[in-house]
Coordinates of all heavy atoms in Angstrom, one line a residue:
E1 N 4.3 -16.4 30.6 CA 3.8 -16.0 32.0 C 4.5 -14.8 32.6 O 4.3 -14.4 33.7 CB 3.8 -17.2 32.9 CG 5.3 -17.6 33.3 CD 5.9 -18.7 32.3 OE1 5.4 -18.7 31.2 OE2 6.8 -19.3 32.7
S2 N 5.6 -14.2 31.8 CA 6.4 -13.2 32.3 C 5.8 -11.8 31.9 O 6.5 -10.8 32.2 CB 7.8 -13.2 31.9 OG 8.4 -14.4 32.5
V3 N 4.7 -11.8 31.3 CA 4.1 -10.5 30.8 C 2.8 -10.2 31.6 O 2.1 -11.2 32.1 CB 3.8 -10.5 29.3 CG1 5.1 -10.7 28.6 CG2 2.8 -11.6 28.9
E4 N 2.4 -9.1 31.7 CA 1.1 -8.6 32.2 C 0.4 -7.7 31.3 O 1.1 -6.9 30.6 CB 1.2 -8.0 33.6 CG 2.3 -6.9 33.7 CD 2.6 -6.5 35.1 OE1 2.1 -7.2 36.1 OE2 3.5 -5.6 35.3
L5 N -0.9 -7.7 31.3 CA -1.6 -6.7 30.4 C -1.7 -5.3 31.1 O -2.0 -5.3 32.3 CB -3.0 -7.2 30.2 CG -3.1 -8.5 29.4 CD1 -4.6 -8.8 29.1 CD2 -2.3 -8.6 28.1
V6 N -1.4 -4.3 30.4 CA -1.4 -3.0 30.9 C -2.2 -2.0 30.0 O -2.6 -2.4 28.9 CB 0.1 -2.4 31.1 CG1 0.8 -3.2 32.1 CG2 0.8 -2.5 29.7
G7 N -2.3 -0.8 30.3 CA -3.0 0.2 29.6 C -2.3 0.6 28.3 O -1.1 0.4 28.1
E8 N -3.1 1.2 27.4 CA -2.5 1.7 26.1 C -1.3 2.7 26.4 O -1.4 3.6 27.3 CB -3.6 2.4 25.3 CG -3.1 2.8 23.9 CD -4.3 3.4 23.1 OE1 -5.5 3.3 23.5 OE2 -4.0 3.9 22.0
G9 N -0.3 2.5 25.6 CA 0.9 3.4 25.8 C 1.8 2.9 26.9 O 2.9 3.5 27.0
E10 N 1.5 1.9 27.7 CA 2.3 1.5 28.8 C 3.0 0.2 28.5 O 3.9 -0.2 29.3 CB 1.4 1.2 30.0 CG 0.7 2.5 30.6 CD -0.3 2.1 31.8 OE1 0.2 1.3 32.5 OE2 -1.3 2.6 31.8
G11 N 2.8 -0.4 27.4 CA 3.5 -1.7 27.1 C 3.6 -2.0 25.6 O 3.2 -1.2 24.8
I12 N 4.0 -3.1 25.2 CA 4.1 -3.6 23.9 C 2.8 -3.9 23.3 O 2.1 -4.8 23.8 CB 5.1 -4.8 23.9 CG1 6.4 -4.6 24.5 CG2 5.3 -5.3 22.4 CD1 7.2 -5.8 24.9
P13 N 2.4 -3.2 22.2 CA 1.2 -3.5 21.5 C 1.1 -4.8 20.8 O 2.1 -5.1 20.1 CB 0.9 -2.3 20.6 CG 2.2 -1.8 20.4 CD 3.1 -2.1 21.6
M14 N 0.0 -5.6 21.0 CA 0.0 -6.9 20.3 C -1.5 -7.1 19.8 O -2.4 -6.9 20.6 CB 0.4 -8.1 21.2 CG 0.3 -9.5 20.5 SD 0.6 -10.8 21.7 CE -1.0 -11.1 22.3
E15 N -1.6 -7.4 18.5 CA -2.9 -7.7 18.0 C -3.2 -9.3 18.1 O -2.5 -10.1 17.6 CB -3.0 -7.3 16.5 CG -4.4 -7.5 15.9 CD -4.4 -7.1 14.4 OE1 -3.6 -6.3 14.0 OE2 -5.3 -7.7 13.7
V16 N -4.2 -9.6 18.8 CA -4.6 -11.0 19.1 C -5.1 -11.7 17.9 O -5.9 -11.2 17.2 CB -5.6 -11.1 20.2 CG1 -6.0 -12.5 20.5 CG2 -5.0 -10.5 21.5
V17 N -4.4 -12.8 17.6 CA -4.9 -13.6 16.4 C -5.7 -14.8 16.9 O -6.7 -15.2 16.2 CB -3.6 -14.1 15.6 CG1 -4.0 -15.1 14.5 CG2 -2.8 -12.9 15.1
V18 N -5.3 -15.5 17.9 CA -6.1 -16.6 18.4 C -5.9 -16.7 20.0 O -4.8 -16.3 20.4 CB -5.6 -17.9 17.7 CG1 -4.2 -18.3 18.1 CG2 -6.5 -19.0 18.0
V19 N -6.8 -17.3 20.6 CA -6.8 -17.5 22.1 C -7.0 -18.9 22.4 O -7.9 -19.5 21.9 CB -7.7 -16.7 22.9 CG1 -7.7 -17.0 24.4 CG2 -7.5 -15.1 22.7
E20 N -6.1 -19.6 23.1 CA -6.2 -20.9 23.5 C -6.7 -20.9 25.0 O -6.1 -20.5 25.9 CB -4.8 -21.7 23.5 CG -4.4 -22.1 22.2 CD -3.1 -23.0 22.2 OE1 -2.5 -23.0 23.3 OE2 -2.7 -23.6 21.2
E21 N -7.9 -21.5 25.1 CA -8.5 -21.6 26.5 C -8.4 -23.0 27.0 O -8.9 -23.9 26.4 CB -9.9 -21.1 26.5 CG -10.1 -19.6 26.1 CD -11.6 -19.1 26.3 OE1 -12.0 -19.3 27.4 OE2 -12.1 -18.7 25.3
L22 N -7.6 -23.2 28.1 CA -7.3 -24.5 28.6 C -8.0 -24.8 30.0 O -7.5 -25.7 30.7 CB -5.8 -24.6 28.8 CG -5.0 -24.3 27.5 CD1 -3.5 -24.3 27.8 CD2 -5.3 -25.3 26.4
G23 N -9.0 -24.0 30.3 CA -9.7 -24.1 31.5 C -9.0 -23.3 32.6 O -9.4 -22.2 32.9
S24 N -7.9 -23.9 33.3 CA -7.2 -23.1 34.4 C -6.3 -22.0 33.8 O -5.9 -21.2 34.5 CB -6.4 -24.1 35.2 OG -5.4 -24.8 34.4
D25 N -6.0 -22.1 32.5 CA -5.1 -21.2 31.8 C -5.7 -20.7 30.5 O -6.5 -21.4 29.9 CB -3.7 -21.8 31.6 CG -2.7 -21.5 32.6 OD1 -2.8 -20.4 33.2 OD2 -1.8 -22.3 32.9
A26 N -5.1 -19.6 30.0 CA -5.4 -19.2 28.7 C -4.2 -18.5 28.1 O -3.5 -17.8 28.8 CB -6.6 -18.2 28.7
F27 N -4.0 -18.7 26.9 CA -2.8 -18.1 26.1 C -3.3 -17.3 24.9 O -4.0 -17.9 24.1 CB -1.8 -19.1 25.8 CG -1.2 -19.8 26.9 CD1 -1.7 -21.0 27.5 CD2 0.0 -19.2 27.6 CE1 -1.1 -21.6 28.6 CE2 0.5 -19.9 28.7 CZ 0.0 -20.9 29.1
A28 N -2.9 -16.1 24.8 CA -3.2 -15.3 23.6 C -2.0 -15.3 22.7 O -0.8 -15.0 23.1 CB -3.5 -13.8 24.0
Y29 N -2.2 -15.6 21.4 CA -1.2 -15.6 20.4 C -1.5 -14.4 19.5 O -2.6 -14.2 19.1 CB -1.3 -16.9 19.5 CG -0.9 -18.1 20.3 CD1 -1.7 -18.7 21.2 CD2 0.3 -18.8 20.0 CE1 -1.3 -19.8 22.0 CE2 0.7 -20.0 20.6 CZ -0.2 -20.4 21.6 OH 0.2 -21.6 22.2
G30 N -0.4 -13.6 19.2 CA -0.7 -12.5 18.3 C 0.6 -11.9 17.7 O 1.7 -12.4 17.9
N31 N 0.4 -10.9 16.9 CA 1.5 -10.2 16.2 C 1.7 -8.8 16.9 O 0.8 -8.2 17.3 CB 1.1 -10.0 14.8 CG 1.0 -11.3 14.0 OD1 1.9 -12.2 14.2 ND2 0.0 -11.4 13.2
L32 N 3.0 -8.4 17.0 CA 3.3 -7.2 17.5 C 2.8 -6.0 16.6 O 2.7 -6.2 15.4 CB 4.8 -7.0 17.7 CG 5.5 -8.0 18.7 CD1 7.0 -7.7 18.8 CD2 4.8 -8.0 19.9
H33 N 2.4 -4.9 17.2 CA 1.8 -3.8 16.4 C 2.7 -2.6 16.6 O 2.9 -2.1 17.7 CB 0.4 -3.5 17.1 CG -0.7 -3.3 16.0 ND1 -1.1 -2.1 15.8 CD2 -1.4 -4.2 15.3 CE1 -2.1 -2.2 14.8 NE2 -2.3 -3.4 14.5
V34 N 3.2 -2.1 15.5 CA 4.0 -1.0 15.5 C 3.6 0.1 14.5 O 3.2 -0.3 13.3 CB 5.5 -1.4 15.1 CG1 6.4 -0.2 15.2 CG2 6.0 -2.4 16.1
D35 N 3.4 1.3 15.0 CA 2.9 2.5 14.1 C 1.6 2.1 13.5 O 1.4 2.3 12.3 CB 4.0 2.8 13.1 CG 5.2 3.3 13.7 OD1 5.2 3.9 14.8 OD2 6.3 3.1 13.1
G36 N 0.7 1.4 14.3 CA -0.6 1.2 13.7 C -0.7 0.0 12.8 O -1.8 -0.3 12.3
A37 N 0.3 -0.8 12.6 CA 0.3 -1.9 11.7 C 0.9 -3.1 12.3 O 1.8 -3.1 13.1 CB 1.1 -1.6 10.4
A38 N 0.3 -4.3 12.1 CA 0.8 -5.6 12.7 C 2.1 -6.0 11.9 O 2.1 -5.9 10.7 CB -0.3 -6.6 12.5
Q39 N 3.0 -6.3 12.7 CA 4.3 -6.9 12.2 C 4.4 -8.3 12.2 O 4.4 -9.0 13.2 CB 5.5 -6.3 13.1 CG 5.5 -4.7 13.2 CD 5.8 -4.1 12.0 OE1 6.8 -4.2 11.3 NE2 4.9 -3.2 11.5
T40 N 4.3 -8.9 11.0 CA 4.3 -10.3 10.9 C 5.8 -10.8 11.1 O 6.7 -10.1 10.8 CB 3.9 -10.8 9.5 OG1 4.7 -10.2 8.5 CG2 2.4 -10.5 9.3
A41 N 5.9 -11.9 11.9 CA 7.2 -12.4 12.2 C 7.1 -14.0 11.9 O 6.1 -14.6 11.5 CB 7.6 -12.1 13.7
D42 N 8.3 -14.6 12.1 CA 8.4 -16.0 11.9 C 7.4 -16.7 12.8 O 7.0 -17.8 12.5 CB 9.9 -16.5 12.1 CG 10.7 -15.9 11.0 OD1 10.3 -15.7 9.9 OD2 12.0 -15.9 11.3
S43 N 7.3 -16.2 14.1 CA 6.4 -16.9 15.0 C 5.7 -15.8 15.8 O 6.2 -14.7 16.0 CB 7.2 -17.8 16.0 OG 8.1 -17.0 16.7
M44 N 4.5 -16.1 16.3 CA 3.7 -15.1 17.0 C 4.2 -15.0 18.5 O 4.8 -15.9 19.0 CB 2.2 -15.5 16.9 CG 1.5 -15.3 15.6 SD -0.1 -15.7 15.6 CE -0.1 -17.4 15.3
V45 N 3.9 -13.9 19.0 CA 4.1 -13.7 20.5 C 3.1 -14.3 21.3 O 1.9 -14.4 20.9 CB 4.2 -12.2 20.8 CG1 4.3 -12.0 22.3 CG2 5.4 -11.6 20.1
I46 N 3.4 -15.0 22.4 CA 2.5 -15.7 23.3 C 2.5 -15.1 24.6 O 3.5 -14.8 25.1 CB 2.9 -17.2 23.4 CG1 3.1 -17.8 22.0 CG2 1.8 -18.0 24.1 CD1 3.8 -19.2 22.1
A47 N 1.3 -14.8 25.1 CA 1.1 -14.3 26.5 C 0.1 -15.0 27.3 O -1.0 -15.4 26.7 CB 0.7 -12.7 26.3

């Protein structure tokens, strides 16, 4: 909950892998994107 979505070039790029919709909340899970390629990690980033 400490992140906000911003325009291209203004923040950390993340490729969305799955979205959990919980009614009042929604969480996007994804991989960071660096130099045009997704960076796989031990765990995905959650926003």
Side-chain angles (χ1 to χ4, degrees):
E1 68 273 19
S2 294
V3 300
E4 53 192 0
L5 298 187
V6 294
E8 184 176 352
E10 298 178 37
I12 304 163
M14 181 186 84
E15 183 179 334
V16 177
V17 175
V18 66
V19 176
E20 282 186 349
E21 296 189 58
L22 306 174
S24 60
D25 262 330
F27 294 93
Y29 293 69
N31 295 316
L32 298 185
H33 221 259
V34 181
D35 298 329
Q39 304 293 301
T40 57
D42 292 337
S43 59
M44 288 184 274
V45 171
I46 310 169

